[in-house]
Amino acid sequence: MDVAEEIEIKGFADEYIDPSLDLYQEIEKLKKEKNAVVLAHYYQEGDIQDIADYIGDSLGLSQQAAKTDADIIVFAGVHFMAETAKILSPNKKVLLPDSKAGCSLADSCPPHLFRKFKEQYPDHLVITYVNCTAELKALSDIVCTSSNAVQIVESLPPDQKIIFGPDRNLGAWVAKKTGRDLVLWNGACMVHEIFSREKITKLKERHPGAKLLAHPECEETILQMADYIGSTTGILKFATSQPEKEFIVATESGILHQMQKDNPDKVFIPAPPNNTCACNDCPHMKRNTLEKLYLCLKNERPEITLPADIIEKAVKPIERMLEISAQLGL
């Protein structure tokens, strides 16, 4: 099996790595040699976050990628994030440590079905959450993030009809916050839908002073309990700004690494899922490892490529979001 076939089947080149190799040192050396930058999402393993040049949420990372003068972007995240980086940096080589690192939310909205859904509402403007494929962005009018979705909707005329996708929980939260009647696509993130209200209630009884922080992709029953609802960046900033010492965190558990680094004197407790599995760990995010990151940078693959017409169409709703955000001072 050649390397291309192996990447197609496994998602990465499964090479032998000498266990005595200092991967941190080797990755730093390769970054300098190849003029590469490593971006890591908050949901990545701690060792990947520690070697990254920039850590953040999906859109912030892609904006950072577009600003850099690097020739190569290694995106330690999931497939749609690397696609967004490619859309904003079409002339840079974008690499993903494991090409099989997908996303349950992005997968819940196949573009061909969304196109038919959109055709049922010809007078509606389409706002899509950034956590979607490049093809879905290409079918959109405006892209949003969990941190600016409310403001993006509020910036539009009150009589503007809107389709919101693909996350039904985020869409329902935005509708509640804005008072707007949004047509929602029925998609969701497997991680954020798994939290147990009953178990969180018991956890709060054991930690009565702890504040519950939740991502708006969580179900309404969890959001009703939350002391703060916001994006991964928002959750991190809120915890840092508060005097409380204990926080229960209802989002992917990878964020706890950065929260603990920024606040060594505070306690962060991952919100429990509704069964015994580690479902608050995203299996797609966790496909990336330090070893795969090293091999990806060394071999310069798997590489993210997109058709020129998709890039051309998908960049427009992202640019519109950035324009609105700039006008609102976000």
Side-chain angles (χ1 to χ4, degrees):
M1 188 190 305
D2 66 18
V3 176
E5 287 178 321
E6 189 171 45
I7 290 174
E8 180 67 28
I9 294 168
K10 293 184 176 180
F12 64 99
D14 195 6
E15 283 181 36
Y16 170 78
I17 299 176
D18 184 339
S20 66
L21 202 65
D22 184 332
L23 290 179
Y24 277 87
Q25 194 175 53
E26 291 300 313
I27 290 169
E28 289 295 349
K29 188 165 72 174
L30 285 169
K31 283 198 295 186
K32 288 174 184 171
E33 285 175 8
K34 296 172 181 275
N35 188 28
V37 63
V38 174
L39 311 179
H41 192 272
Y42 285 129
Y43 296 167
Q44 291 295 290
E45 295 284 3
D47 53 3
I48 292 179
Q49 292 189 42
D50 289 342
I51 200 163
D53 299 288
Y54 186 84
I55 308 158
D57 54 22
S58 58
L59 189 77
L61 289 169
S62 292
Q63 288 174 286
Q64 189 68 21
K67 290 175 189 173
T68 181
D69 60 358
D71 297 312
I72 295 175
I73 298 165
V74 183
F75 208 123
V78 292
H79 205 275
F80 78 80
M81 296 179 184
E83 284 186 342
T84 307
K86 186 65 179 177
I87 291 165
L88 292 175
S89 305
N91 298 321
K92 294 184 172 79
K93 181 177 277 191
V94 178
L95 308 174
L96 183 66
D98 189 326
S99 65
K100 302 289 186 185
C103 171
S104 58
L105 175 56
D107 292 345
S108 73
C109 191
H112 69 286
L113 295 182
F114 188 80
R115 186 188 296 275
K116 290 181 180 178
F117 179 75
K118 177 183 171 181
E119 287 170 359
Q120 297 174 45
Y121 305 94
D123 56 345
H124 285 54
L125 187 124
V126 178
I127 299 178
T128 52
Y129 184 30
V130 71
N131 295 24
C132 66
T133 63
E135 286 181 82
L136 203 68
K137 289 180 177 71
L139 292 170
S140 309
D141 296 296
I142 311 174
V143 166
C144 72
T145 68
S146 53
S147 59
N148 67 18
V150 168
Q151 293 92 329
I152 293 287
V153 169
E154 287 178 337
S155 74
L156 301 171
D159 59 347
Q160 175 63 62
K161 295 178 181 178
I162 298 168
I163 294 172
F164 189 96
D167 192 287
R168 62 173 177 260
N169 294 319
L170 176 61
W173 179 72
V174 170
K176 185 177 179 181
K177 294 280 283 184
T178 61
R180 304 287 282 267
D181 183 20
L182 308 180
V183 175
L184 305 180
W185 174 266
N186 190 28
C189 163
M190 61 183 280
V191 174
H192 289 99
E193 286 225 308
I194 205 73
F195 296 115
S196 164
R197 182 183 175 91
E198 181 185 355
K199 289 183 179 179
I200 292 173
T201 300
K202 290 178 179 176
L203 191 59
K204 282 176 77 71
E205 288 172 3
R206 294 200 301 273
H207 301 270
K211 285 196 170 183
L212 174 62
L213 315 180
H215 194 283
E217 287 180 42
C218 293
E219 291 184 313
E220 173 64 16
T221 55
I222 303 302
L223 298 182
Q224 287 172 356
M225 303 171 68
D227 297 292
Y228 175 80
I229 301 167
S231 65
T232 46
T233 300
I235 286 172
L236 180 59
K237 288 180 178 177
F238 182 84
T240 301
S241 70
Q242 296 302 296
E244 285 80 9
K245 295 297 182 184
E246 287 190 316
F247 297 88
I248 300 166
V249 185
T251 188
E252 212 277 351
S253 61
I255 185 67
L256 270 67
H257 178 73
Q258 206 60 39
M259 295 177 89
Q260 201 67 71
K261 280 181 73 174
D262 289 358
N263 304 276
D265 61 328
K266 296 183 181 182
V267 176
F268 299 100
I269 308 161
N274 61 13
N275 51 31
T276 55
C277 75
C279 296
N280 48 352
D281 285 342
C282 173
H284 302 289
M285 284 282 186
K286 297 308 192 269
R287 286 188 70 97
N288 295 316
T289 64
L290 201 62
E291 289 78 12
K292 290 178 185 176
L293 196 155
Y294 162 69
L295 291 173
C296 158
L297 189 49
K298 175 176 169 252
N299 298 320
E300 297 186 20
R301 53 183 157 178
E303 182 181 358
I304 299 297
T305 57
L306 291 170
D309 64 319
I310 292 292
I311 290 177
E312 185 181 350
K313 291 174 185 173
V315 76
K316 291 175 183 175
I318 297 175
E319 287 176 342
R320 186 157 180 205
M321 176 195 67
L322 296 175
E323 286 168 12
I324 294 170
S325 297
Q327 289 167 5
L328 297 175
L330 302 176

